[in-house]
Amino acid sequence: DIQMTQSPASLSASLGETVTIECRASEDIYSNLAWYQQKPGNSPQLLIYDANSLADGVPSRFSGSGSGTQYSLKINSLQSEDVASYFCQQYNNYPFTFGSGTKLEIK
Amino acid sequence: QVNLLQSGAALVKPGASVKLSCKASGYTFTDYYIHWVKQSHGKSLEWIGYINPNSGYTNYNEKFKSKATLTVDKSTNTAYMELSRLTSEDSATYYCTRSLRRVPYYFDYWGQGVMVTVSS
């Protein structure tokens, strides 16, 4: 199985700041990577697919980048509604696997 | 609008089985795979497997092969997941979600989740 190592596990930042979350795959996943946002008590919601494509309705302050085994999610100009957990997921190989998640809080 | 509506929370006894449902609406049911994902309390997500509603073909995560059985009823646009021989390790929230039937297989819509509690 492909292991997805996500960091940091938690993050605290101020409103308006830029934050970055990293995800490393145990082997090349050819940009077959998605990022999801999960607010407390809610289902995960798709943010980014194919490593850098913004899902419909997602604010442009979210962006994804990376290739090979290294990927990142950047959130510009942090807003209060961005408080959530964020997960990466590879869909290059079965079984699909997720990162362990990053919990984002506002300072 | 696309909606995946899951059945309500379940409290089940150890050793029993439970069948969860996921009713799809707002799109052509047979155009998308239905996947199931497990989230243990406060933890990350695990992919259980998917079913192709058009053919009934299933693909399971090896870890869940003897635990989960995926089926569909095309007449009601509903997908089911039966979990058998339940233990406390199966207590979790289970989501259904969908992906295209071709690459890329990201999950664009999710059900609201159903909490399964295994307790005597």
Side-chain angles (χ1 to χ4, degrees):
Chain A
D1 299 3
I2 295 178
Q3 305 303 313
M4 303 300 293
T5 303
Q6 189 173 337
S7 62
S10 62
L11 186 51
S12 183
S14 302
L15 293 174
E17 264 193 62
T18 294
V19 299
T20 300
I21 299 169
E22 307 279 348
C23 203
R24 185 181 79 248
S26 59
E27 60 186 81
D28 195 330
I29 56 171
Y30 303 96
S31 296
N32 288 309
L33 181 108
W35 290 96
Y36 301 91
Q37 176 192 66
Q38 186 177 31
K39 295 185 179 180
N42 286 357
S43 315
Q45 300 293 312
L46 179 67
L47 292 176
I48 301 284
Y49 62 93
D50 292 349
N52 58 17
S53 297
L54 202 63
D56 290 345
V58 175
S60 58
R61 64 177 181 277
F62 290 90
S63 64
S65 64
S67 62
T69 62
Q70 300 274 4
Y71 299 87
S72 60
L73 172 71
K74 187 162 81 169
I75 310 173
N76 288 319
S77 190
L78 195 64
Q79 307 290 306
S80 57
E81 61 263 32
D82 300 334
V83 168
S85 292
Y86 294 83
F87 298 92
C88 60
Q89 179 232 341
Q90 68 81 19
Y91 45 87
N92 190 67
N93 282 9
Y94 294 114
F96 299 155
T97 47
F98 293 85
S100 54
T102 296
K103 190 171 182 180
L104 175 60
E105 296 174 335
I106 301 296
K107 233 183 246 181
Chain B
Q1 66 285 15
V2 174
N3 193 30
L4 297 172
L5 183 63
Q6 297 187 238
S7 47
L11 172 62
V12 289
K13 295 192 185 313
S17 298
V18 67
K19 193 169 186 177
L20 311 179
S21 67
C22 172
K23 184 170 176 58
S25 60
Y27 71 98
T28 301
F29 184 54
T30 50
D31 282 351
Y32 291 79
Y33 292 159
I34 293 288
H35 301 252
W36 292 83
V37 174
K38 177 184 181 182
Q39 186 169 37
S40 301
H41 180 66
K43 294 187 180 175
S44 189
L45 303 155
E46 293 181 278
W47 178 75
I48 294 170
Y50 79 79
I51 186 165
N52 179 346
N54 193 47
S55 64
Y57 175 82
T58 53
N59 185 352
Y60 294 95
N61 184 337
E62 196 68 34
K63 179 179 177 179
F64 293 96
K65 255 187 178 172
S66 59
K67 175 62 61 179
T69 302
L70 306 184
T71 55
V72 292
D73 180 348
K74 285 195 286 186
S75 69
T76 60
N77 288 355
T78 303
Y80 298 92
M81 178 173 69
E82 183 168 19
L83 300 170
S84 60
R85 298 180 300 278
L86 290 165
T87 72
S88 59
E89 295 294 305
D90 299 315
S91 293
T93 296
Y94 293 88
Y95 295 98
C96 63
T97 181
R98 72 168 201 176
S99 76
L100 290 168
R101 284 168 48 199
R102 52 161 178 78
V103 293
Y105 297 116
Y106 55 84
F107 305 146
D108 61 351
Y109 285 90
W110 295 65
Q112 81 277 20
V114 57
M115 186 178 295
V116 173
T117 303
V118 182
S119 174
S120 54

